[in-house]
Amino acid sequence: MQQAQTATQPATAEAGNGGAVTAGDSVLSRGLNVRHIRFMALGSAIGTGLFYGSASAIQKAGPAVLFAYMIGGAAVFMVMRALGEMAVRHPVSGSFGQYASRYLGPLAGFVTGWTYVFEMAIVAIADVTAFSIYMGFWFPEVERWVWVLAIIFFLAALNLLSVKVFGELEFWFSLIKVAAIIAMIAGGAAIIVFGFQTGGATVAPGLGNLVEHGGLFPNGFEGLLASFAVVMFAFGGVETLGITAGEAADPKKVIPKAVNTVPVRVLLFYVLTLGVLMSLFPWDGIGSNGSPFVQIFSGLGIPAAPHILNAVVITAALSAVNSDIFGAGRILFGLARQGHAPASFGKVSRQGVPWMTVVMMTGILLVGVVLNAVIPEDVFLLIASIATFATVWVWAMILASHVAMKREIARKGLPASEFPSPWWPAASVLTIAFMALVIAILGAFEDTRVALYVGAVWLGVLVVAYRLWVRGHGRARAELADETAQLPQVPAGR
């Protein structure tokens, strides 16, 4: 990080359709179109948190987990609207890291950016490990580390080609995941409506299963609170959408459309899917006999159910790692432009890709090759809780940056935002309070409390690193071009 002081000053971004974004002597290609970003928005909600984390959340809260996903989803929507407003105003790579530096100060930008990289690194290591486990279902004789190594180099190579390749890959990964979720909902609904008896089931399917096994809140209000540690982990990664603004062909068009799909995604992928699942099977039996989604396919009499699900979760894992590399890499690029990371992370290839950031993420993921042999099978909740802390911290900084921006707009009489966050300021204040509640919940339960300890140490290390190594323009607020369209001037006399 000592090289940070040699990074060039950020330059004004140029946002032309099909053009590029310029930062100092580096150029990021604008290769993501509406189709890419829309499906990235859809796919970001489907991953390990849904296919595996949902069972853990259900065990904690029972059917009441549906309320947890709705409440958490509403909070995430407000975060995304705040991020969307800033992304349309300042479509830069580095996104919320640079927004925090611009509106809260350089230390806030430094901590926010590196905390997001930390979050992506933790989740990516978990995801490549999950991928190796999935592949072991088909190839049990192959050592797990072989799959980890193979997928790391495969995805790293793809990310080095061009951002358009990344976008295409995410489009097809997301299409498969979305189709699988819709098939699960349709299949489950058919079982409920027509009264089919699911394979091996001892309880008839129906909406009554939501209230007949201990009630809607079988573990009380405390169980609902405890589930937020896993629920918020499931939503982690949606903020990657804001990072795409720096490489979107038309950010003012595609970002608002993608952000506004968040409520639909939450209702479809989580609330409706898990509602159908808990109507088919008593909540206390979900996940105890394999994956809950295998139960749905098996109930439809599909003999290849385990293989179908395995293909879907492999796709989800590939998509997750792909997004992790992309998101962390672009934030590191932004940090380099601010003087908050080594200047080498600000260099791009001929294809307009920040290649050094991809190399670094590859190196971090190689740690997964080693850890894969020693990580215990019950490490998911620990990883989820640590990632939840990092995610919620980043979201809180996004909201705080947005509040500071709105105040500056009012104070200086700047043009109104083209994509304003709704219900300002009440919704923003309530969402920040909710984020504080989630962090408190992590500390209230013994199995997630370690996340607070890890998080506190991490933030402390970042503050020390900033004081010791960041120099020069890294101590100054980020300078971001305001691309808000000016109101047309009416000539005098008309």
Side-chain angles (χ1 to χ4, degrees):
M1 213 172 292
Q2 286 133 317
Q3 301 176 40
Q5 56 187 309
T6 65
T8 58
Q9 285 279 8
T12 301
E14 299 172 0
N17 289 354
V21 113
T22 303
D25 57 353
S26 303
V27 178
L28 287 180
S29 172
R30 286 196 183 275
L32 298 177
N33 57 36
V34 177
R35 176 172 58 89
H36 294 150
I37 294 179
R38 183 171 294 172
F39 271 83
M40 285 174 64
L42 288 170
S44 64
I46 310 173
T48 306
L50 174 60
F51 289 112
Y52 282 86
S54 58
S56 177
I58 289 171
Q59 290 303 315
K60 287 180 177 296
V65 76
L66 298 178
F67 296 109
Y69 279 108
M70 285 189 280
I71 294 170
V76 170
F77 176 62
M78 293 312 304
V79 172
M80 293 305 295
R81 282 301 299 258
L83 179 57
E85 181 174 350
M86 292 188 290
V88 170
R89 200 174 194 94
H90 309 292
V92 297
S93 187
S95 189
F96 40 82
Q98 297 217 48
Y99 304 149
S101 178
R102 167 65 178 80
Y103 292 106
L104 301 178
L107 175 59
F110 179 86
V111 172
T112 301
W114 279 103
T115 299
Y116 178 76
V117 174
F118 175 65
E119 171 199 347
M120 290 296 98
I122 293 173
V123 175
I125 289 174
D127 286 332
V128 295
T129 300
F131 171 80
S132 68
I133 294 173
Y134 303 152
M135 292 303 294
F137 177 78
W138 287 330
F139 306 99
E141 71 282 358
V142 179
E143 292 291 335
R144 188 181 296 178
W145 66 268
V146 174
W147 295 117
V148 176
L149 198 63
I151 196 58
I152 289 172
F153 286 121
F154 173 69
L155 290 178
L158 289 177
N159 272 269
L160 286 172
L161 293 178
S162 76
V163 70
K164 188 173 183 179
V165 172
F166 164 80
E168 282 296 323
L169 200 62
E170 275 303 289
F171 169 77
W172 290 106
F173 282 161
S174 297
L175 187 62
I176 293 172
K177 292 189 292 184
V178 171
I181 290 293
I182 293 175
M184 291 175 191
I185 293 173
I191 293 174
I192 295 171
V193 171
F194 296 106
F196 300 144
Q197 190 75 11
T198 57
T202 58
V203 179
L207 296 177
N209 283 327
L210 294 174
V211 294
E212 292 174 357
H213 302 275
L216 197 58
F217 289 81
N219 295 329
F221 187 66
E222 181 178 323
L224 175 66
L225 290 178
S227 70
F228 277 111
V230 179
V231 168
M232 301 313 287
F233 166 78
F235 291 129
V238 295
E239 67 277 4
T240 303
L241 184 62
I243 300 174
T244 64
E247 292 166 272
D250 188 358
K252 291 186 180 184
K253 179 181 179 181
V254 301
I255 295 298
K257 286 184 177 180
V259 167
N260 284 335
T261 64
V262 169
V264 176
R265 283 183 283 153
V266 172
L267 290 174
L268 178 64
F269 298 149
Y270 287 95
V271 178
L272 188 55
T273 303
L274 298 184
V276 168
L277 180 63
M278 288 185 288
S279 296
L280 294 175
F281 309 97
W283 69 270
D284 51 358
I286 291 176
S288 59
N289 297 312
S291 169
F293 296 99
V294 168
Q295 289 177 276
I296 292 180
F297 280 114
S298 297
L300 288 171
I302 301 176
H307 298 282
I308 293 173
L309 177 75
N310 206 52
V312 172
V313 295
I314 283 175
T315 300
L318 289 171
S319 175
V321 179
N322 198 38
S323 293
D324 295 340
I325 294 174
F326 173 85
R330 270 48 178 186
I331 286 290
L332 280 169
F333 177 86
L335 288 169
R337 308 320 302 164
Q338 294 173 251
H340 290 168
S344 57
F345 290 144
K347 297 179 180 180
V348 299
S349 66
R350 293 180 179 178
Q351 289 74 32
V353 174
W355 63 274
M356 269 300 295
T357 65
V358 176
V359 171
M360 176 183 169
M361 278 301 292
T362 303
I364 292 174
L365 287 175
L366 287 175
V367 176
V369 178
V370 179
L371 294 180
N372 197 63
V374 296
I375 289 180
E377 295 298 331
D378 59 353
V379 78
F380 174 77
L381 185 60
L382 174 63
I383 291 178
S385 57
I386 294 175
T388 297
F389 175 88
T391 299
V392 171
W393 178 269
V394 169
W395 288 347
M397 297 303 284
I398 289 173
L399 291 165
S401 302
H402 178 255
V403 169
M405 183 189 76
K406 297 288 278 189
R407 288 179 174 175
E408 182 174 304
I409 290 173
R411 185 173 64 252
K412 295 183 178 181
L414 300 175
S417 298
E418 297 171 274
F419 185 51
S421 182
W423 309 300
W424 164 264
S428 296
V429 173
L430 288 175
T431 307
I432 291 174
F434 175 74
M435 296 303 166
L437 173 64
V438 173
I439 291 179
I441 288 172
L442 290 176
F445 295 93
E446 185 177 353
D447 54 358
T448 58
R449 193 170 299 146
V450 67
L452 283 190
Y453 302 145
V454 173
V457 170
W458 171 254
L459 295 178
V461 168
L462 288 181
V463 171
V464 172
Y466 177 83
R467 301 296 183 194
L468 291 179
W469 291 311
V470 176
R471 297 287 184 271
H473 81 277
R475 292 294 186 104
R477 289 177 181 262
E479 297 178 7
L480 306 179
D482 190 333
E483 299 191 11
T484 303
Q486 300 290 328
L487 292 175
Q489 299 296 317
V490 179
R494 290 191 180 182

